[in-house]
């Protein structure tokens, strides 16, 4: 099973998914769904589950046309779609203010193997980490989320955000520096990706 979205097993799953193999698609979804949900939370998306669902629907629809490369390009493509769906959702909310949208504060994550105490610590530490990242400036939070949570490289983040690679590196450095200076960061347990 693939735990990181960067190995040859992921590339193999991507090839199979392009050909319509459901098992290949499931590997992609399991590897990237938690990261997509965290990213959407960091950028302030109110309806994380709906936006993630719309993102994956577009991916399923357009996957046979995806010819851009391997795992890194797929991740960049997925997070670009997710960002666009989040912007669309925010615009929709603005236009239809009378429509009440509810979202879970924390989307359900895969239950870590172990005791209930471990599960509670995992969810609490993840929520705290996301809150700390979301507390950065908008640019810094998005860059940190895309580089650290999504695992995109500097070039992919720069292209997605329409910034120079230098601006992305500066925002990442400043964001990580602000997080390392925050005294609350030492209270968070290690979170597995």
């Amino acid at each position: 099973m693939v735990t990181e979205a960067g190995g040859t097993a992921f590339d193999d799953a991507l090839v199979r998914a392009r050909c319509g193999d459901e098992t290949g698609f499931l590997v992609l979804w399991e590897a990237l769904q938690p990261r997509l949900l965290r990213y959407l939370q960091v950028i302030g998306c109110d309806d994380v589950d709906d936006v993630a669902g719309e993102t994956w629907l577009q991916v399923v629809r357009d996957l046979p046309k995806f010819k851009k490369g391997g795992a890194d390009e797929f991740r960049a493509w997925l997070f670009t779609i997710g960002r666009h769906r989040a912007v669309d959702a925010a615009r929709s909310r603005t236009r239809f203010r009378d429509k009440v949208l509810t979202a879970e504060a924390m989307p359900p994550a895969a239950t870590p193997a172990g005791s209930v105490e471990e599960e509670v610590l995992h969810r609490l530490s993840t929520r705290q980490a996301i809150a700390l990242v979301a507390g950065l400036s908008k640019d810094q939070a998005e860059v940190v989320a895309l580089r650290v949570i999504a695992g995109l490289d500097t070039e992919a983040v720069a292209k997605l955000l329409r910034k120079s690679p230098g601006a992305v590196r500066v925002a990442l450095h400043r964001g990580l520096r602000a997080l390392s200076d925050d005294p609350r960061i030492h209270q968070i347990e290690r979170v597995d990706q």
Side-chain angles (χ1 to χ4, degrees):
M1 176 146 200
V2 175
T3 55
E4 267 310 303
T8 58
F10 187 88
D11 289 327
D12 181 52
L14 179 57
V15 169
R16 291 191 334 254
R18 283 181 186 157
C19 296
D21 180 47
E22 291 179 22
T23 306
F25 181 79
L26 183 60
V27 170
L28 301 178
W29 187 84
E30 286 178 345
L32 296 174
Q33 175 70 353
R35 292 176 180 210
L36 178 62
L37 293 173
R38 290 178 190 140
Y39 169 68
L40 293 172
Q41 285 180 312
V42 167
I43 64 171
C45 184
D46 289 331
D47 41 356
V48 172
D49 292 324
D50 291 341
V51 171
E54 290 174 18
T55 300
W56 284 107
L57 284 173
Q58 183 173 345
V59 167
V60 168
R61 184 189 71 216
D62 295 343
L63 189 57
K65 298 179 214 168
F66 177 75
K67 306 285 186 206
K68 295 181 183 177
D72 291 338
E73 292 81 8
F74 179 79
R75 271 198 321 267
W77 183 60
L78 172 73
F79 283 91
T80 299
I81 293 169
R83 185 172 196 263
H84 292 164
R85 296 294 71 82
V87 168
D88 291 347
R91 287 180 184 148
S92 177
R93 254 190 328 280
T94 301
R95 278 184 251 153
F96 304 104
R97 290 183 189 254
D98 57 323
K99 183 177 179 183
V100 178
L101 297 176
T102 59
E104 261 183 62
M106 180 69 186
T111 304
S115 67
V116 173
E117 292 86 6
E118 289 174 352
E119 180 180 348
V120 169
L121 284 175
H122 180 274
R123 288 180 186 226
L124 181 62
S125 61
T126 300
R127 188 177 302 127
Q128 289 172 327
I130 289 171
L132 285 173
V133 172
L136 297 171
S137 73
K138 183 180 182 237
D139 285 341
Q140 290 174 0
E142 192 163 18
V143 168
V144 168
L146 288 168
R147 288 283 289 127
V148 177
I149 296 171
L152 299 179
D153 63 21
T154 301
E155 297 297 323
V157 173
K159 185 176 177 183
L160 193 150
L161 299 178
R162 295 184 177 133
K163 295 182 180 287
S164 71
V168 168
R169 285 190 287 276
V170 168
L172 178 66
H173 175 75
R174 289 179 179 166
L176 292 177
R177 174 62 124 196
L179 288 173
S180 70
D181 291 344
D182 192 321
R184 298 172 295 170
I185 199 78
H186 303 290
Q187 300 169 355
I188 296 178
E189 297 290 321
R190 184 177 183 279
V191 178
D192 294 327
Q193 291 188 11

